[in-house]
Amino acid sequence: MSSRLPPHPRLDWGDDGVPRATDMDDVYFSVADGLAETEVVFLKGCGLPDAWKGRKAFNVGELGFGSGLNILALWELWRRKRPGPTARLNVMSFEGRPLSREDASRALSAWPRLAGLADHLLRQWPIRARGVQRIHLGDGVHLTLHIDDIQKALPQAEGLMDAWFLDGFSPAKNPDMWSEDTLRHVGRLTAPGGRVGSYTVAGAVRRGLETAGFNVAKRPGFGRKRERLEAVKRQDAEGAARPSLLSRPPSTPPSTPPNTVLVVGAGVAGAACAAAFAARGCEVSVIDAARPASGASGNARALVMPRLDASDTPAARMLISAYVAARQAYSAMPTEIAAIVDARHLARTPMDRGRFEKLFADPPLDEDLFAPLDPNKRGAGAIHGGAIILTPRALIAHWLDQLNLITGMEAVRLESGDRPRLHLSGGAALDADLIILANGMDAAQLLGTHTPPLEARLGQIETAPMQPDATFATASGDYAIQSGDTLVFGATFEPHGGGPARISDEARAQNLSALQVLDAETARSVDASELTSRAGLRATTPDRLPLVGAVPDVDRFRDLYGEALAKGRPLRTALDRPPPFLPGVRIASGYGSRGFTWAPWAAELLASEAFGEPLPIETSVRDAAAPGRFLVRDLKRRTQS
């Protein structure tokens, strides 16, 4: 059984400065000149830059991220030959044994010409954690990195690549990277006409690519290698797409990406979605009946820290991926929006203590991000290095800056379709290529019978003025955070019977009691007469995971799949036609008390799907967040009862 923390490779550094993986007995790049090898084998081998001429977006896949050298060479070429000022280069790479930042820096130092780009990559070097991470490098270059064993990671990937760099360790020493199954997935993830470059011309690799739908040719090699490989995906080659009842059919090109997007809701969910689509050149409008951040997203401060599960499940990976995406998004923000802090996470109950013990026995994050409060009592709690305290209204204003913001009008009716339309109070209506419902519980009013299960939870927090001499965060179910001159603590999470959110003395007493447990010294310094209470409604789901993606057409879905699911057919084999979703509509809701953690991740997922980019998550994780998951579960349970 593998550790949840991916292993670092064991390295031997030769006198030539080239790192060698001792467990694979192979070098990371050519001893002759790794950069020159990349330019010949991969860039030239995939016909770059000519292949991306006139393209608004171009997707490149890579097996073997290693030191990041190939990415830097590709990025440098893209800088010089970018097809347009707004064009995007999406790179999807795979790595099972990630290098440390220090080892990558040492390896890349051999090429001073790449120093500026290397420094930028190293500042955002991927976190050591299994799963998927997206890194925005600049110049329209976006890296989606799968960190896991290749047999596990590649089947979980989605996207259509225009080019592939096959750069794993040699087939003789790393056969899993070159297996027939691996190459079949490369074929599944390649667009017709897509090209492959590799340094190896091993017979098994050539045959595997031919079986996967490629025409393969040998070309003059580089350095000591007499030959290298080029391949082109045949136009008539069939893919191996695996349809899902929960999402759009994978590995198929999307329809025309949206030009106009209408986001309903100006809280954190809506603002993040608006920013993600605006970054891709869309004309984005955001509508809210009130002002931005007027609901649960408008607290004075918010804490972003991980929620770690003791088991490696899709839900656990989702929580980690979302946290990593949030850190990526917020670490680039001005200090008046985001403050970095080491957050203390205390164990409340025997169950909490047992969970921490299990987590530290097999941690999912490296020790710089997840360390015990007391090394001798690992059940006492944790320190989350690099957690973030946010100023929510400033963040949301930053995301919505220069977008078309419409306030004071309520969305009252939704018409889905190829050109969905939103009817507003007062008789006005707006249409767009895509409408995203990011308005919490109010999404139910617009979706009617198509609404996935949502429940409102009432959350009250307290704010107190403080001397601006401390920045800290302590959590244990409840939390207390201070940044600048503001202390925020709470929060309640109670079922809500209906009506608007209301503050209560009982909730304030509960929050004061929680603060006493979290930090007795801070509690003594709080003047209760200076407290300001604030309450908001949080949309939650039965499994406490968000709703992100397409919304099933419930009646048609039941008609098409009810009988198949009734007979217990597996989810993916129950399909005999594409699943019916409400066209032109997506939902981003159900964030509960973790809205600022979920929001950047969910926005990237929706935008990536809409634009045919590599998905920033594993398919099992995507399905765990899909709005249709509850409908499928309901149909299965009904038929089995």
Side-chain angles (χ1 to χ4, degrees):
M1 181 177 177
S2 62
S3 166
R4 290 185 69 185
L5 200 61
H8 282 317
R10 294 191 296 272
L11 300 180
D12 178 48
W13 295 86
D15 294 337
D16 52 14
V18 176
R20 176 181 294 273
T22 59
D23 44 355
M24 294 292 178
D25 190 27
D26 203 356
V27 292
Y28 273 82
F29 38 76
S30 171
V31 296
D33 186 336
L35 179 56
E37 179 188 40
T38 291
E39 291 170 337
V40 171
V41 173
F42 301 120
L43 304 185
K44 179 182 177 181
C46 290
L48 302 175
D50 290 345
W52 64 47
K53 282 184 178 178
R55 298 284 297 270
K56 293 182 179 179
F58 194 82
N59 296 343
V60 175
E62 178 191 43
L63 297 188
F65 176 70
S67 66
L69 176 61
N70 294 338
I71 305 300
L72 295 182
L74 178 65
W75 184 5
E76 183 192 48
L77 179 64
W78 178 262
R79 267 189 165 183
R80 291 188 283 111
K81 299 291 185 178
R82 188 176 181 180
T86 61
R88 292 174 64 94
L89 176 63
N90 303 301
V91 184
M92 180 170 67
S93 188
F94 296 81
E95 181 58 60
R97 295 171 176 264
L99 288 172
S100 69
R101 188 195 313 266
E102 294 73 22
D103 285 333
S105 177
R106 181 177 176 181
L108 295 172
S109 66
W111 296 283
R113 145 184 161 200
L114 298 177
L117 299 181
D119 287 346
H120 196 89
L121 173 61
L122 291 166
R123 284 195 297 271
Q124 301 184 81
W125 194 249
I127 290 169
R128 186 185 177 197
R130 295 187 190 272
V132 187
Q133 301 177 37
R134 173 159 290 174
I135 299 173
H136 304 284
L137 292 173
D139 302 313
V141 181
H142 307 271
L143 169 63
T144 302
L145 180 61
H146 290 248
I147 299 178
D148 210 340
D149 301 333
I150 193 64
Q151 311 100 308
K152 297 178 181 178
L154 198 54
Q156 290 284 329
E158 292 298 347
L160 279 179
M161 303 298 104
D162 301 298
W164 276 94
F165 303 165
L166 303 189
D167 194 26
F169 293 120
S170 73
K173 298 171 181 177
N174 189 19
D176 289 341
M177 188 70 88
W178 305 92
S179 70
E180 183 176 342
D181 189 57
T182 293
L183 297 176
R184 178 178 63 83
H185 280 292
V186 169
R188 173 179 68 85
L189 297 165
T190 306
R195 300 180 64 165
V196 168
S198 184
Y199 64 84
T200 183
V201 292
V205 174
R206 299 199 313 273
R207 291 189 294 273
L209 286 171
E210 289 168 351
T211 301
F214 292 88
N215 293 324
V216 182
K218 295 179 181 180
R219 296 287 185 261
F222 175 85
R224 299 176 183 175
K225 292 184 172 64
R226 188 165 55 89
E227 295 174 312
R228 60 183 174 86
L229 178 149
E230 291 183 7
V232 180
K233 178 79 174 288
R234 295 190 295 271
Q235 294 289 338
D236 61 347
E238 293 185 3
R242 303 154 304 168
S244 168
L245 289 180
L246 299 174
S247 62
R248 68 174 178 83
S251 295
T252 56
S255 56
T256 303
N259 291 317
T260 57
V261 176
L262 177 59
V263 179
V264 186
V268 65
C273 289
F277 279 89
R280 289 161 172 81
C282 296
E283 179 184 328
V284 180
S285 297
V286 180
I287 182 168
D288 199 298
R291 57 178 173 78
S294 58
S297 298
N299 293 339
R301 298 288 186 271
L303 176 62
V304 175
M305 59 177 258
R307 167 64 168 87
L308 302 177
D309 287 350
S311 300
D312 187 10
T313 63
R317 291 206 175 195
M318 188 192 306
L319 286 156
I320 292 174
S321 291
Y323 177 61
V324 171
R327 291 181 83 250
Q328 169 80 3
Y330 301 140
S331 62
M333 296 286 179
T335 54
E336 60 268 22
I337 294 177
I340 308 299
V341 65
D342 289 345
R344 299 169 69 244
H345 191 177
L346 311 178
R348 287 185 301 174
T349 65
M351 183 178 294
D352 285 343
R353 290 190 286 274
R355 186 169 66 87
F356 278 119
E357 292 279 6
K358 290 180 181 179
L359 283 166
F360 285 118
D362 188 15
L365 295 174
D366 219 339
E367 60 185 6
D368 60 334
L369 297 181
F370 180 59
L373 275 174
D374 183 345
N376 298 315
K377 298 178 181 179
R378 295 195 162 204
I383 297 174
H384 298 293
I388 298 173
I389 297 176
L390 293 171
T391 302
R393 289 181 181 174
L395 169 68
I396 290 170
H398 175 83
W399 273 337
L400 296 179
D401 186 38
Q402 299 184 9
L403 299 184
N404 181 30
L405 181 62
I406 304 167
T407 59
M409 302 183 73
E410 184 179 359
V412 295
R413 186 163 62 88
L414 173 69
E415 293 179 27
S416 63
D418 293 337
R419 184 75 180 175
R421 178 178 292 265
L422 189 69
H423 295 266
L424 310 177
S425 55
L430 297 170
D431 58 17
D433 297 327
L434 181 66
I435 293 179
I436 301 173
L437 303 181
N439 54 338
M441 292 299 302
D442 291 338
Q445 177 185 344
L446 299 175
L447 291 174
T449 58
H450 303 294
T451 306
L454 283 171
E455 176 191 6
R457 288 277 178 159
L458 180 63
Q460 180 171 317
I461 58 98
E462 318 300 328
T463 303
M466 302 290 285
Q467 291 296 321
D469 57 358
T471 297
F472 71 87
T474 303
S476 181
D478 302 288
Y479 60 83
I481 52 179
Q482 181 178 340
S483 176
D485 60 358
T486 302
L487 171 71
V488 173
F489 62 96
T492 60
F493 194 71
E494 305 299 329
H496 182 62
R502 293 185 175 87
I503 62 174
S504 70
D505 292 338
E506 292 80 6
R508 172 178 285 194
Q510 181 178 330
N511 288 335
L512 283 167
S513 177
L515 179 61
Q516 179 68 35
V517 173
L518 288 170
D519 191 328
E521 183 177 350
T522 298
R524 286 193 295 270
S525 67
V526 169
D527 184 344
S529 67
E530 294 184 330
L531 289 179
T532 300
S533 298
R534 191 174 190 278
L537 297 180
R538 296 159 169 170
T540 65
T541 63
D543 59 11
R544 297 295 185 263
L545 298 178
L547 302 169
V548 186
V551 180
D553 183 321
V554 172
D555 294 333
R556 292 181 59 210
F557 194 99
R558 284 177 175 148
D559 289 343
L560 285 173
Y561 308 122
E563 183 178 353
L565 293 174
K567 295 178 179 178
R569 291 175 63 185
L571 186 62
R572 293 189 183 278
T573 61
L575 285 166
D576 54 8
R577 66 194 75 183
F581 297 110
L582 300 183
V585 177
R586 302 291 185 271
I587 189 171
S589 185
Y591 292 4
S593 61
R594 298 185 176 274
F596 290 91
T597 301
W598 294 123
W601 172 86
E604 278 295 301
L605 171 56
L606 291 177
S608 295
E609 283 193 327
F611 278 81
E613 300 168 1
L615 292 191
I617 58 172
E618 298 140 304
T619 55
S620 60
V621 174
R622 186 266 317 274
D623 288 352
R629 65 189 187 269
F630 296 105
L631 178 57
V632 170
R633 292 174 194 174
D634 181 55
L635 291 173
K636 285 184 173 181
R637 288 168 181 163
R638 288 185 183 184
T639 58
Q640 294 170 4
S641 61

